[in-house]
Amino acid sequence: MEKVKKKIGSFSFWNWVTASIIFRLILIYFPKNLNLSSRPEVSTPLTSFRRLAEGYWLKQSFMSPYAGSMYHGSPLLLSLLGPLTINRIEGQPNHLLYSLVSVIADVVSAMLIRATGQNLRLAYLRSLESLDLVKQIEVSGDIAALIYLCNPFTIVACVGLSTSPIENMAVILCLYGACSRLIPLAAFGWVIATHLSLYPAILIIPVIFLLGCGPDSPPRKLFLQRHQQKEVLNQSKLPPRFSWGPVIHFAFWAFLWSVYVLVLCGISLKQFGGLWEMFKSTYGFILTVEDLSPNIGVLWYFFAEVFEFFRNFFLIVFHVNILFMILPLAIRLRHRPCYLAFVYVAICSMLKSYPSVGDSALYLGLLGWFVNELADMQFSLFLFCGYVGVSLLSPVMHNLWIWRGTGNANFYFATAMVYACLQIVLVVEGVSAMLNHDRKLRNLITGKPQDAKS
Amino acid sequence: MAETKEKSLSDEKPKPRVRPIVRLGIFLISHSFHVSVVCCTAGVLALFLLPVLAKNTYISENALMPGSASPMLSNQHVSDGNRLVKDLTNPNSKSSETGIESHKIIAQYMLDLGAEVSFHKFHPQMNQFHPLHFFSSPDSGKIQENYSCSSYGINTVGIIRAPHGDGKEAIVLVTPYNALKSGFGEALSLGIAYSVFSLLTQVTWLAKDIIWLVADSQYGEYAAVAAWLREYQTPKFSSLSTPNAEMCPDVNNLFELKGHSISGSKFSNSFRRAGTMASALVLKVRDQNEQFEDTISIYAEASNGQMPNLDLINVVNYLAVHRQGLRVNVEKLWSLLNSSWLKSLGEIFESLAKVAKSLYPKWKFGIPATEYVEGTATLASSLYYQALGVPTGPHGAFRDYQVDAITLEISPKFSLDKVWRNDILLRGGRLIEGVIRSVNNLLEKFHQSFFLYLLTSPSKFVSVGVYMIAFAFLIAPLPMVAASLYVDANSSSNCSKGDSSTPSAITDTDEHSIAIRSWRWLNSAKLVFIVHLWGAIVSLLPYFISQIPDCSPTTSFMIWVLLSILSLLTLNSVLASPLACAKATQEKEWALVKSVTISSVFIGLGLMSVINFATAEIGALLMVPMCLLAQPLKLDVRAGTLRSFCRMICNLVLGHIAFPPAALFLLKGMLDGFGNANVGDFWMWVESLWAWNSATYLFIVEVTYIFSHG
């Protein structure tokens, strides 16, 4: 019976995947009308397709791709994707090849998410088994992959020709590698993701936990309690202790890959100022928030208003904000590294200097891994309505400000603030739901009544 | 955020110590019925109070300085204008079939004044609605392929370069003129414009270029102005893509004649431009008039309920009333003027104000009943035209390019007396001169005063901060009721669970029910999404139907209805299969569906209020009661009490009232949509559809429930 159900499930899964791909292809054929690639929600200075094309053009004409503060991405992206910006097929939409690459990146990410989700589910089942709790759980991998593929944010980022599908793919590759213990792959994903957008660098903490103790499981204490109750200490059923071996292995590979990437970048930028130039106009550009054009984040408005002599101070404050949250979260959620990764990604997409909807697409996709654990999450309807409302309101406010002239920057910024608040609520509620879930498991084991929570 | 709080507290068990704000939230949710009744009443009442709350207009931009200089338009200029009027009304000039002669006369007059003159040829563009245009910038006009030489219009454009200006800014004066069948009024408006134009060639204070556009209105005033603006704002760089009107012999003929007769002058074949437009005035003179005074009507509504800056209207109003002694009018709903209930309402307000004043002398907010009635009539028409979204004149085309523009229609008391004609030329000309001089003083764009306002009389307005209160009252019940329904649905499931599960049996089924609990709304969200999707498809269908050639409105309407039903069925079969599983629990589920529906309506109305307030307000008036009353019919029938019967009747009536307008609206849209609707019109249709969809889907949700229970 279950097999049949599973079969049906996987059948409709592939149906949905095909439907979402077809939908993307249909949208790709209307690039002029949608004009998505010029929307501030989709293309930030870092992910914009136009800037990529400009950088490629500059490089072709033997100038530094970073000249004129137009392009701020990686030089590798330039050599890989650059040629696609000018290649055209007669009678087809202009950027068909490039769009196809984004579609492929999306599908690959979805498949990786699915595989990771299955991994996580197996681990979850195993740990439940060892706790003697039998539970019917959802196929979280499929759900997460479908959420990622059918999310309007992902579709918009993909059709809007931004580079975020590729950045997201690197992040997911890293997590996938860490979950399935393919250490070189994990290191490669981590290095590339960091190279492309800097912020995924903090994912090293969840990756270390993943490699050290394996994928998400209930807290180790629970297992000990359980076995104390039974008074048999079955070591094989305990989750493994932290092991440094894979971590060192990972560090070695990460070092190797980063040297490799840097050498490649150095070669491609040899005559244009070398690596220093690259660091200055990619990481420097990200960290100093030079471009104040409106986006869905909150930093542009703030730094447009702030006095020049406070600027450095506030730059430090805003970036340290992210770093502040790393440690407490890492301590609290160390037994659930994948969830920790989700929380980190969400926080980054909230506080990063040039956020786009592609970042939200990533963490919303990752959220799908935890459907079983987050079943009790509060405010789900409110959050859903909020996301829908903000994503509709933001273009309208932009239109009011830029095209109609009846609104002003505050209108648009208000939606950005609401969006940031929604993300905060999502993270807070998500983390508390996860902690509640752990608590509930503990209560189930110790046999306390359910009401004892809080 | 309020919703969050409300939900949060009701999800948790009420603890002994709750914060006041939480307690308030609980109170609001538990009494959501009474609160929503109170809020709705307050909303409607506040709407009727708006004319009382209207403030007097004031000129907010200091640089405008209207009327500070004495008018320079003299009788000399007036007689110039008179000459043009005579020449145009002269039967000889109408000999040519295409009316080219009169355009030549106008051009000649302009050239004589030393202005730069050019002709702009355009093809009346059937404004086709494109479903995806909403996302793109407004200036992406499509070039049509099949032009014929038989139908084109000629705009005559004269430009005066400002002696002090740097040529970066311009003021536009538009006079619609139909050369084929021009009335006396049109000729008179040309005369006024010409007298102002002749003055402006001589003055030294001019800092902005003046563009005088004689718009060929034989294909509609709006189309001509829109075509000229499109050309002005989006220069075409490739010669291939230009519409090949030059190929037509007739037009070439025109140019040759011109070039021949006035060689070496300022006439040019190419399209002439001045700077960016600071503002635009459209001038019209009405042919016949029943009124005993010289009045001037101001039309301001552009596409989609956009309004020009209030300062522009203020300047015109101030100059017309205080300098030229003209009466200023804005559009009214005349039928409301004689309604007795409105009058009695006004009297009630007046007496209330009197009582208030006797209590405390500083409270002075009352207005006389007659004024109240007039204000309400004006407000109603203001709301109506903004909600309709169709521009009330050629000025609407300017607003799409962020240029503030209004139409001034002078309706003189009619007589053929020469003195009278000179008088109207002088006063109209001086008014235009004053407005141009004020705008000429501007250093930046109009930005000081309001863009979002409703007029209750030419000198009174309701600003956005005031009218939003009425709207907020009206839609405040929606999130509250949604939250209370959601909480009810959740708590009822909790209760049932608590009954069934004994403390010892913490089994997997229990786990599963928990798992469902907080995400249970997903099913209803799916249902609502499907209905929305259907609504979107239905609203996009007219575009595809309009592509079918040779279709009478009725057949296309029939096609439309058929296709929408078909699409509903396909959608239902493709996407809605999961709904069948949920059928068992549907009795309880409807509360969740209603909750999700109401929240989506809330989002939609909030969004609409930002885009076009008037549509949102009218939509809210219709939809809020419907949303709050909606209930599956089967349940009502089963309950069988008087109250539920009344509610059922209300539901049915409301459902039908709100649905036929959609049908009626759309029928009308189809009828003139195939003729000559403009983009604004169609935008409006889509937007009204967006609003109406929600109405329709509520109706449909109801219907689906009738079916599923029946």
Side-chain angles (χ1 to χ4, degrees):
Chain A
M1 180 66 199
E2 201 168 32
K3 229 176 202 172
V4 176
K5 199 178 165 190
K6 205 174 175 187
K7 208 174 180 183
I8 292 169
S10 71
F11 173 67
S12 75
F13 172 78
W14 289 110
N15 265 354
W16 277 104
V17 170
T18 349
S20 72
I21 294 172
I22 290 171
F23 187 60
R24 268 162 234 246
L25 292 179
I26 291 171
L27 285 184
I28 283 168
Y29 272 83
F30 293 105
K32 285 254 170 59
N33 290 316
L34 284 170
N35 220 357
L36 280 174
S37 54
S38 62
R39 302 289 320 170
E41 291 89 359
V42 177
S43 63
T44 64
L46 293 177
T47 61
S48 156
F49 173 77
R50 272 179 50 226
R51 289 175 185 255
L52 182 76
E54 174 81 8
Y56 182 67
W57 188 84
L58 284 173
K59 203 180 164 209
Q60 287 305 98
S61 44
F62 302 106
M63 280 189 269
S64 163
Y66 299 115
S69 187
M70 193 66 183
Y71 181 62
H72 299 285
S74 136
L76 296 183
L77 221 53
L78 219 54
S79 354
L80 285 176
L81 296 179
L84 300 181
T85 60
I86 50 166
N87 277 357
R88 256 152 233 194
I89 305 173
E90 220 26 67
Q92 301 290 326
N94 279 348
H95 307 303
L96 185 68
L97 285 174
Y98 183 81
S99 329
L100 286 181
V101 169
S102 328
V103 173
I104 291 168
D106 267 358
V107 173
V108 169
S109 312
M111 291 307 116
L112 290 177
I113 288 181
R114 184 168 184 237
T116 317
Q118 278 161 353
N119 251 332
L120 285 177
R121 178 165 174 263
L122 280 181
Y124 188 60
L125 276 178
R126 212 180 304 130
S127 59
L128 282 186
E129 219 167 79
S130 67
L131 288 173
D132 301 331
L133 295 168
V134 188
K135 203 174 161 186
Q136 205 178 6
I137 62 175
E138 303 270 344
V139 196
S140 56
D142 286 2
I143 294 174
L146 283 186
I147 290 177
Y148 186 75
L149 267 185
C150 301
N151 189 347
F153 287 167
T154 324
I155 293 173
V156 162
C158 172
V159 178
L161 300 173
S162 87
T163 56
S164 35
I166 289 156
E167 287 166 17
N168 289 351
M169 189 172 73
V171 172
I172 292 166
L173 200 66
C174 165
L175 292 178
Y176 168 75
C179 262
S180 39
R181 307 191 85 74
L182 302 169
I183 293 171
L185 191 68
F188 176 72
W190 183 72
V191 168
I192 291 293
T194 310
H195 173 66
L196 287 181
S197 61
L198 181 64
Y199 289 98
I202 59 170
L203 288 184
I204 193 166
I205 295 167
V207 167
I208 285 173
F209 280 131
L210 263 178
L211 294 174
C213 339
D216 295 26
S217 63
R220 192 181 159 77
K221 212 164 56 183
L222 276 189
F223 292 95
L224 291 176
Q225 274 179 348
R226 185 69 188 168
H227 293 291
Q228 271 169 7
Q229 274 182 353
K230 282 184 163 181
E231 295 178 359
V232 241
L233 208 64
N234 191 347
Q235 278 296 342
S236 69
K237 275 196 169 185
L238 271 182
R241 289 181 167 281
F242 194 86
S243 53
W244 283 101
V247 177
I248 294 165
H249 200 176
F250 173 80
F252 168 71
W253 273 104
F255 175 73
L256 211 66
W257 282 119
S258 38
V259 167
Y260 181 61
V261 165
L262 286 181
V263 166
L264 281 184
C265 289
I267 291 170
S268 82
L269 289 175
K270 202 165 59 190
Q271 61 270 53
F272 311 124
L275 285 179
W276 178 241
E277 181 71 21
M278 181 188 89
F279 282 126
K280 211 170 65 183
S281 49
T282 53
Y283 291 172
F285 181 78
I286 292 172
L287 291 177
T288 55
V289 199
E290 283 168 27
D291 191 309
L292 297 179
S293 54
N295 55 40
I296 51 174
V298 286
L299 264 64
W300 63 274
Y301 190 85
F302 188 81
F303 283 108
E305 300 283 320
V306 81
F307 286 123
E308 195 57 42
F309 44 88
F310 286 132
R311 199 185 153 90
N312 287 333
F313 171 69
F314 279 110
L315 277 177
I316 293 168
V317 167
F318 270 97
H319 287 114
V320 165
N321 234 337
I322 298 180
L323 298 181
F324 266 145
M325 287 188 226
I326 289 180
L327 197 60
L329 282 171
I331 292 170
R332 199 71 186 80
L333 290 172
R334 66 184 181 283
H335 54 283
R336 295 193 178 275
C338 276
Y339 194 71
L340 186 65
F342 154 74
V343 173
Y344 281 170
V345 170
I347 287 176
C348 279
S349 86
M350 182 165 63
L351 290 174
K352 78 196 284 190
S353 35
Y354 309 103
S356 72
V357 289
D359 302 315
S360 320
L362 176 62
Y363 71 73
L364 288 177
L366 298 191
L367 189 62
W369 284 343
F370 311 102
V371 275
N372 296 304
E373 288 90 336
L374 296 183
D376 261 342
M377 203 169 116
Q378 288 183 341
F379 306 145
S380 45
L381 177 62
F382 168 74
L383 280 171
F384 178 75
C385 290
Y387 268 94
V388 171
V390 166
S391 53
L392 293 176
L393 199 60
S394 167
V396 168
M397 289 299 193
H398 191 260
N399 183 278
L400 226 58
W401 174 26
I402 301 293
W403 291 115
R404 287 207 196 173
T406 49
N408 54 36
N410 299 331
F411 285 44
Y412 186 66
F413 180 64
T415 60
M417 289 235 292
V418 173
Y419 180 64
C421 288
L422 280 178
Q423 285 172 321
I424 291 170
V425 173
L426 177 73
V427 168
V428 169
E429 284 309 314
V431 170
S432 70
M434 188 53 101
L435 295 181
N436 276 338
H437 179 77
D438 282 346
R439 216 167 281 146
K440 204 173 71 191
L441 284 182
R442 196 184 66 210
N443 291 337
L444 284 178
I445 286 169
T446 52
K448 275 186 211 160
Q450 189 110 57
D451 290 342
K453 71 178 179 183
S454 81
Chain B
M1 284 291 109
E3 205 180 355
T4 336
K5 276 170 203 148
E6 284 157 18
K7 269 188 209 156
S8 77
L9 48 104
S10 30
D11 275 359
E12 293 157 10
K13 295 263 160 60
K15 290 163 198 164
R17 272 173 58 86
V18 273
R19 275 172 290 167
I21 188 156
V22 174
R23 219 178 296 160
L24 184 71
I26 291 179
F27 177 79
L28 283 181
I29 286 185
S30 55
H31 296 86
S32 66
F33 174 72
H34 301 279
V35 173
S36 52
V37 168
V38 169
C39 275
C40 279
T41 337
V44 176
L45 204 67
L47 188 65
F48 280 106
L49 264 176
L50 285 183
V52 182
L53 298 172
K55 284 190 285 188
N56 283 325
T57 55
Y58 55 93
I59 287 164
S60 167
E61 172 74 84
N62 286 329
L64 283 170
M65 293 189 293
S68 59
S70 53
M72 295 164 76
L73 193 85
S74 65
N75 283 322
Q76 175 60 38
H77 303 117
V78 169
S79 62
D80 282 354
N82 242 328
R83 202 151 44 83
L84 177 65
V85 175
K86 254 183 224 154
D87 275 0
L88 284 178
T89 45
N90 194 358
N92 293 343
S93 67
K94 292 194 176 177
S95 58
S96 163
E97 276 175 19
T98 50
I100 281 175
E101 281 305 315
S102 33
H103 280 286
K104 277 184 197 158
I105 292 171
I106 299 166
Q108 190 62 51
Y109 268 81
M110 286 178 183
L111 280 173
D112 290 345
L113 289 176
E116 295 173 16
V117 180
S118 63
F119 286 118
H120 167 240
K121 302 160 302 302
F122 66 95
H123 289 276
Q125 198 166 350
M126 286 299 162
N127 264 312
Q128 279 195 334
F129 169 71
H130 203 271
L132 299 173
H133 251 187
F134 184 79
F135 296 102
S136 48
S137 48
D139 53 354
S140 53
K142 260 170 71 178
I143 299 158
Q144 283 180 330
E145 299 303 321
N146 46 351
Y147 282 111
S148 63
C149 282
S150 57
S151 67
Y152 62 90
I154 304 167
N155 292 330
T156 315
V157 186
I159 299 175
I160 306 173
R161 303 286 172 187
H164 288 306
D166 47 4
K168 297 265 171 63
E169 285 177 305
I171 302 169
V172 187
L173 186 61
V174 182
T175 47
Y177 179 65
N178 187 350
L180 288 183
K181 43 173 204 279
S182 71
F184 183 67
E186 280 189 339
L188 204 59
S189 72
L190 281 177
I192 296 175
Y194 179 72
S195 56
V196 175
F197 205 62
S198 67
L199 166 76
L200 292 175
T201 49
Q202 297 157 10
V203 293
T204 52
W205 45 258
L206 207 59
K208 294 180 168 65
D209 298 344
I210 303 291
I211 306 174
W212 179 19
L213 170 69
V214 181
D216 192 349
S217 62
Q218 55 179 321
Y219 301 107
E221 296 162 359
Y222 184 88
V225 177
W228 178 76
L229 268 173
R230 207 177 304 124
E231 181 86 26
Y232 193 97
Q233 304 279 11
T234 52
K236 293 191 187 70
F237 294 110
S238 69
S239 55
L240 288 172
S241 67
T242 50
N244 40 5
E246 279 81 5
M247 303 301 166
C248 303
D250 215 4
V251 189
N252 283 336
N253 197 14
L254 174 81
F255 282 135
E256 270 167 29
L257 270 174
K258 270 291 144 201
H260 191 65
S261 59
I262 345 152
S263 52
S265 70
K266 288 183 166 180
F267 180 83
S268 82
N269 282 338
S270 57
F271 193 85
R272 291 267 181 153
R273 287 190 178 76
T276 55
M277 301 173 199
S279 87
L281 292 171
V282 183
L283 183 68
K284 289 199 244 178
V285 177
R286 199 188 281 176
D287 271 335
Q288 68 274 22
N289 184 24
E290 311 83 42
Q291 277 159 335
F292 307 107
E293 265 181 295
D294 292 337
T295 55
I296 177 164
S297 317
I298 297 177
Y299 298 92
E301 285 87 2
S303 66
N304 234 333
Q306 301 180 75
M307 298 291 274
N309 198 300
L310 187 56
D311 264 346
L312 189 62
I313 294 176
N314 288 344
V315 168
V316 172
N317 182 43
Y318 178 83
L319 287 172
V321 172
H322 296 287
R323 290 289 180 271
Q324 304 306 327
L326 294 161
R327 227 181 62 133
V328 178
N329 238 344
V330 284
E331 197 85 337
K332 280 181 199 134
L333 276 190
W334 297 101
S335 56
L336 278 181
L337 278 180
N338 300 322
S339 63
S340 54
W341 63 272
L342 209 57
K343 209 169 283 174
S344 51
L345 194 65
E347 274 155 13
I348 292 171
F349 282 138
E350 195 183 349
S351 52
L352 272 179
K354 262 180 200 157
V355 171
K357 199 178 178 184
S358 66
L359 286 176
Y360 186 64
K362 275 193 180 173
W363 285 345
K364 281 181 271 186
F365 54 79
I367 56 170
T370 50
E371 204 176 310
Y372 174 79
V373 172
E374 276 197 14
T376 314
T378 317
L379 185 76
S381 95
S382 198
L383 269 176
Y384 172 73
Y385 283 111
Q386 286 191 21
L388 209 57
V390 186
T392 47
H395 58 268
F398 285 96
R399 188 60 234 177
D400 294 342
Y401 300 95
Q402 287 197 36
V403 180
D404 295 295
I406 50 172
T407 297
L408 302 175
E409 191 177 57
I410 302 174
S411 27
K413 53 175 192 277
F414 199 66
S415 71
L416 282 171
D417 194 357
K418 185 150 187 262
V419 180
W420 159 82
R421 193 201 277 175
N422 279 348
D423 178 56
I424 205 69
L425 276 177
L426 189 68
R427 283 159 77 188
R430 283 188 170 168
L431 172 66
I432 302 293
E433 183 210 338
V435 176
I436 286 180
R437 188 152 192 181
S438 282
V439 176
N440 185 51
N441 288 339
L442 270 186
L443 297 176
E444 319 164 55
K445 288 176 52 168
F446 275 111
H447 68 279
Q448 279 275 356
S449 196
F450 294 90
F451 283 102
L452 307 170
Y453 57 91
L454 297 166
L455 286 175
T456 60
S457 84
S459 59
K460 281 197 161 188
F461 74 104
V462 186
S463 80
V464 56
V466 177
Y467 66 61
M468 269 298 179
I469 294 173
F471 182 71
F473 268 125
L474 207 54
I475 63 167
L478 291 181
M480 237 176 314
V481 171
S484 90
L485 278 174
Y486 181 76
V487 166
D488 279 353
N490 271 348
S491 62
S492 71
S493 75
N494 269 359
C495 281
S496 64
K497 193 190 74 190
D499 294 339
S500 66
S501 68
T502 51
S504 62
I506 308 165
T507 51
D508 46 350
T509 53
D510 186 27
E511 290 279 312
H512 203 65
S513 74
I514 291 174
I516 290 172
R517 192 182 77 197
S518 81
W519 296 94
R520 226 173 31 151
W521 52 270
L522 271 177
N523 261 331
S524 10
K526 204 190 288 169
L527 177 67
V528 173
F529 173 72
I530 289 168
V531 180
H532 266 284
L533 194 67
W534 178 65
I537 289 173
V538 169
S539 63
L540 289 186
L541 276 177
Y543 167 68
F544 297 105
I545 296 171
S546 68
Q547 303 283 319
I548 305 169
D550 308 328
C551 234
S552 76
T554 29
T555 51
S556 47
F557 185 71
M558 289 316 290
I559 293 174
W560 190 49
V561 169
L562 277 178
L563 275 180
S564 14
I565 293 170
L566 204 70
S567 65
L568 178 66
L569 291 180
T570 36
L571 266 181
N572 211 31
S573 58
V574 172
L575 290 172
S577 47
L579 287 176
C581 323
K583 221 170 194 174
T585 52
Q586 232 163 22
E587 301 242 345
K588 280 169 195 167
E589 202 92 322
W590 78 267
L592 272 182
V593 173
K594 188 176 167 186
S595 155
V596 174
T597 313
I598 288 178
S599 6
S600 66
V601 168
F602 178 66
I603 293 174
L605 282 177
L607 208 66
M608 203 61 207
S609 74
V610 178
I611 299 172
N612 185 349
F613 170 76
T615 310
E617 174 78 44
I618 293 173
L621 279 177
L622 279 172
M623 277 164 50
V624 168
M626 194 163 68
C627 289
L628 297 183
L629 287 174
Q631 182 96 309
L633 290 181
K634 192 75 182 177
L635 284 185
D636 271 351
V637 172
R638 217 177 279 163
T641 57
L642 185 67
R643 191 178 154 209
S644 64
F645 184 70
C646 289
R647 192 164 53 191
M648 191 177 81
I649 297 293
C650 278
N651 273 332
L652 282 178
V653 169
L654 271 172
H656 278 101
I657 289 177
F659 188 62
L664 252 177
F665 256 120
L666 293 169
L667 189 64
K668 212 174 117 202
M670 298 299 281
L671 289 178
D672 51 21
F674 292 97
N676 51 352
N678 47 38
V679 178
D681 199 346
F682 258 115
W683 267 51
M684 196 285 290
W685 289 125
V686 168
E687 287 192 338
S688 68
L689 272 172
W690 280 82
W692 289 120
N693 279 337
S694 355
T696 16
Y697 77 64
L698 248 173
F699 185 69
I700 289 156
V701 167
E702 248 178 278
V703 171
T704 46
Y705 277 97
I706 299 164
F707 283 138
S708 62
H709 287 273

